[in-house]
Amino acid sequence: MRFLARGLIGLMLFAATFAAIGFGVYRVVESVSRDEVRRRPPVQERSYSVNVAKLTAEDVAPTTVVYGQIRSWRKLEVRASSEGRLVEVDEDFRDGQAVKEGDLLVKIDPADAKSGLLDAKAALADADSQKAEAEEAVIAAEQELEATRKQLDLRRQSLDRQRQLLKKGYATMVQVEQEELSLAAMEQSLSNRMQSIITARKRIGRMDLTVERADNVLRDAERTLEETEIRAPFSGTLDQVNATLGRRVSTNDALAVLIDSTALEASFTLSTSEFSRFLDDQGKLIHAPVTVELDLGGKSIKVSGHLERAAAVVAEGDAGRQMFASLTVEAGTILRPGDFVTVRLQEPELTQVARVPAAAINAAGELLTLDDEQRLVIVQAKLLRRLGDEVLLADVPFGTTYVSERLPQLGPGLKVAPRGTEDTQDVPSREGGRRPVAAVSDTSSAGQQMVALEAPRRDELISKVNRRNMPAERKTEILQMLNRPMVPQSLIDRLESGGRGQPG
């Protein structure tokens, strides 16, 4: 029993010893953990610095930018109207030369035209003479008809006397028959005279046509003579000139092309969606203002105009519409048909839209906005237009702050630090004033607050470091930290308080 008691006592002492050792180990571990927790800074939620702006409603008249070519809607092919030799060519009859209305361009040898004019005048005079003869023949035929009628009356009276004498027995039947034959012959003569008058009058009608034809030939001859001198019908610029002195030309030979430099228009193509922007409620084309710009390297020429019409047909394989804009240009303009130009068309005004940078939305048209806790919220916007580096949006919450530059790591629910003109903070300067400093943008794993400095304040801190006497390696390290986008707040505090600016 004594052995058992001693064994139990030893076992209890052994257990007590192990319990004491375990308690001591627990207190040491707890003490070490408490010291580590005390030295470890509190964990803060990481936030991203973002550029923000306000969604404001405005009325915008977008501009559609396309490329096109200049063309002239008024051209004239200068052609030879008659055959002959070029006896005169104006010194201004050259490619690219500007001419005025009525200027003499070339002259064809007029000898043949003058000869034709003389023949036409002679033919007209002959026709007039024959017409006069026909008119005089009608007068003579009418006089002969009148004389024949008188003779016919006398023959009738003589026949009546012979019949009366026959009844009284003083005349014979032979005498009566002779008078009847004479009367019949006179009636035949009267009929012939009437037919002669009809023929003479018809001849006058034919001679009228002859005179008219001769007159037309005369006018043609005069026009042919006049057209031996080819003059500019309107002011313009010459192109494709093909005329030399002494060259023999045939009728309708091309000599040049005259282009009206003031009758210019721009031809360009709009896609179907762009074309629909320039239709009114009735589906008719609106006369939208147009600006055409010709880039000449260091100088550009701008001309205004308006949208005028669309092409009559759509070419096979093409999409959209070919459009034409009428331009307002003055004489002597530098624009030429064939110039490749930039065309800007002013669209109808869009009301209650937001203009934001194109980097603020993604391909799906989603916009990141900030809630009251500075966390990101996705807003689905309606994309109306893309205007270079900007876009126009509708159906957005106006007055809300949005992220103006969407970064790949940003997503809904993340906490951000806004950076912008509306979200800058004021911190006291050493002179007692207030200096704008961007909001805290990030918290490093070591617990250091990182801030973005304004350019004036960054330059001031760099100047302080350069004036200080410190090792070159340390000065270089501090300057590198100051030139980074985000600078530790502790380094800024040391430099502004006058301490040694050692990087923490």
Side-chain angles (χ1 to χ4, degrees):
M1 294 297 292
R2 184 179 298 174
F3 175 75
L4 182 60
R6 289 179 180 176
L8 292 173
I9 292 173
L11 184 61
M12 292 177 63
L13 291 174
F14 184 75
T17 300
F18 271 100
I21 293 173
F23 181 73
V25 172
Y26 168 74
R27 292 300 301 272
V28 171
V29 172
E30 183 181 11
S31 177
V32 172
S33 301
R34 190 173 301 168
D35 291 342
E36 289 182 357
V37 171
R38 187 180 298 111
R39 289 194 301 270
R40 182 184 304 166
V43 179
Q44 298 184 11
E45 181 181 3
R46 184 176 183 180
S47 60
Y48 294 91
S49 176
V50 294
N51 296 322
V52 298
K54 289 284 187 181
L55 288 172
T56 58
E58 56 181 312
D59 298 338
V60 181
T63 300
T64 298
V65 181
V66 294
Y67 299 96
Q69 277 190 317
I70 298 297
R71 51 178 288 179
S72 176
W73 53 265
R74 191 181 186 189
K75 293 182 180 180
L76 174 69
E77 289 188 353
V78 180
R79 293 180 176 271
S81 57
S82 60
E83 183 179 359
R85 184 171 53 88
L86 297 181
V87 295
E88 184 177 346
V89 177
D90 190 73
E91 61 180 7
D92 291 335
F93 195 63
R94 294 175 290 174
D95 283 338
Q97 183 65 43
V99 296
K100 296 182 179 180
E101 181 180 355
D103 287 351
L104 177 64
L105 304 179
V106 295
K107 184 177 181 180
I108 302 173
D109 188 0
D112 294 340
K114 289 181 179 179
S115 176
L117 179 61
L118 294 176
D119 292 342
K121 288 181 178 179
L124 179 60
D126 183 62
D128 287 334
S129 176
Q130 292 182 14
K131 181 181 177 181
E133 291 178 359
E135 291 175 347
E136 291 176 356
V138 170
I139 296 174
E142 289 177 348
Q143 292 176 353
E144 290 179 355
L145 177 62
E146 184 65 24
T148 304
R149 284 177 177 173
K150 291 180 178 180
Q151 292 178 7
L152 180 61
D153 292 339
L154 292 175
R155 290 294 179 183
R156 286 174 180 172
Q157 293 175 6
S158 176
L159 178 60
D160 291 340
R161 284 195 304 269
Q162 290 297 328
R163 286 176 178 174
Q164 291 176 1
L165 292 172
L166 180 63
K167 290 179 181 180
K168 295 179 179 181
Y170 296 110
T172 62
M173 190 65 188
V174 175
Q175 293 176 340
V176 174
E177 289 176 354
Q178 288 178 353
E179 291 295 333
E180 288 178 353
L181 290 174
S182 298
L183 179 62
M186 193 56 63
E187 288 178 349
Q188 181 64 39
S189 178
L190 178 63
S191 178
N192 292 337
R193 299 300 182 189
M194 294 180 64
Q195 185 65 37
S196 298
I197 292 177
I198 294 174
T199 303
R201 288 177 177 174
K202 288 182 177 180
R203 185 185 176 191
I204 290 176
R206 289 195 300 270
M207 293 313 301
D208 287 338
L209 295 176
T210 303
V211 170
E212 185 175 355
R213 282 196 297 267
D215 187 58
N216 291 336
V217 172
L218 177 61
R219 286 198 295 267
D220 289 341
E222 291 174 346
R223 183 171 61 253
T224 301
L225 178 60
E226 182 180 354
E227 289 178 350
T228 56
E229 294 183 352
I230 301 178
R231 298 182 179 272
F234 55 85
S235 300
T237 306
L238 293 172
D239 186 34
Q240 303 178 25
V241 174
N242 182 22
T244 55
L245 190 64
R247 173 192 169 189
R248 187 170 186 84
V249 296
S250 301
T251 304
N252 208 36
D253 276 358
L255 301 179
V257 175
L258 181 61
I259 301 173
D260 190 348
S261 56
T262 61
L264 299 181
E265 61 184 9
S267 172
F268 51 92
T269 302
L270 294 179
S271 64
T272 304
S273 59
E274 292 172 338
F275 176 70
S276 63
R277 301 172 189 171
F278 299 97
L279 300 178
D280 57 15
D281 297 336
Q282 287 76 32
K284 297 181 179 179
L285 191 68
I286 62 175
H287 295 291
V290 172
T291 301
V292 172
E293 181 177 357
L294 174 63
D295 188 7
L296 299 177
K299 187 177 181 180
S300 62
I301 305 298
K302 293 184 178 180
V303 177
S304 61
H306 65 274
L307 189 62
E308 186 176 33
R309 68 189 188 280
V313 296
V314 178
E316 184 176 356
D318 288 350
R321 295 289 189 276
Q322 185 180 10
M323 309 299 296
F324 301 95
S326 179
L327 304 180
T328 304
V329 295
E330 298 179 354
T333 179
I334 198 64
L335 289 179
R336 291 293 185 270
D339 280 336
F340 187 74
V341 294
T342 302
V343 183
R344 291 180 171 84
L345 300 93
Q346 184 174 341
E347 302 177 21
E349 189 176 60
L350 299 176
T351 59
Q352 295 297 304
V353 296
R355 187 199 296 264
V356 302
I361 63 171
N362 58 9
E366 294 177 342
L367 190 70
L368 291 176
T369 61
L370 277 64
D371 59 10
D372 296 337
E373 298 180 358
Q374 305 299 321
R375 295 188 181 275
L376 298 178
V377 178
I378 292 181
V379 173
Q380 181 64 49
K382 181 180 179 181
L383 178 62
L384 298 178
R385 298 284 190 280
R386 288 188 179 273
L387 306 176
D389 296 334
E390 295 180 329
V391 294
L392 299 181
L393 303 178
D395 300 337
V396 295
F398 295 111
T400 305
T401 303
Y402 72 96
V403 178
S404 59
E405 185 177 0
R406 184 164 182 160
L407 303 177
Q409 64 268 26
L410 299 180
L414 289 180
K415 188 175 181 63
V416 296
R419 181 175 61 191
T421 57
E422 298 178 352
D423 301 290
T424 54
Q425 300 174 346
D426 289 341
V427 297
S429 64
R430 293 184 59 188
E431 291 78 6
R434 308 294 290 180
R435 178 182 287 109
V437 181
V440 176
S441 61
D442 199 359
T443 304
S444 67
S445 59
Q448 297 187 73
Q449 290 184 340
M450 311 293 289
V451 298
L453 293 175
E454 296 289 335
R457 193 180 183 200
R458 188 189 301 273
D459 296 340
E460 181 181 349
L461 293 176
I462 292 175
S463 177
K464 287 182 179 182
V465 174
N466 290 329
R467 289 197 301 267
R468 289 190 179 183
N469 186 14
M470 62 177 68
E473 295 182 357
R474 182 174 298 175
K475 180 181 291 187
T476 301
E477 183 179 1
I478 295 174
L479 291 175
Q480 290 178 352
M481 298 179 68
L482 289 175
N483 286 319
R484 293 173 183 170
M486 311 303 296
V487 182
Q489 181 67 50
S490 58
L491 176 60
I492 297 174
D493 294 340
R494 291 192 190 98
L495 293 176
E496 290 186 340
S497 62
R500 297 186 64 83
Q502 301 176 3

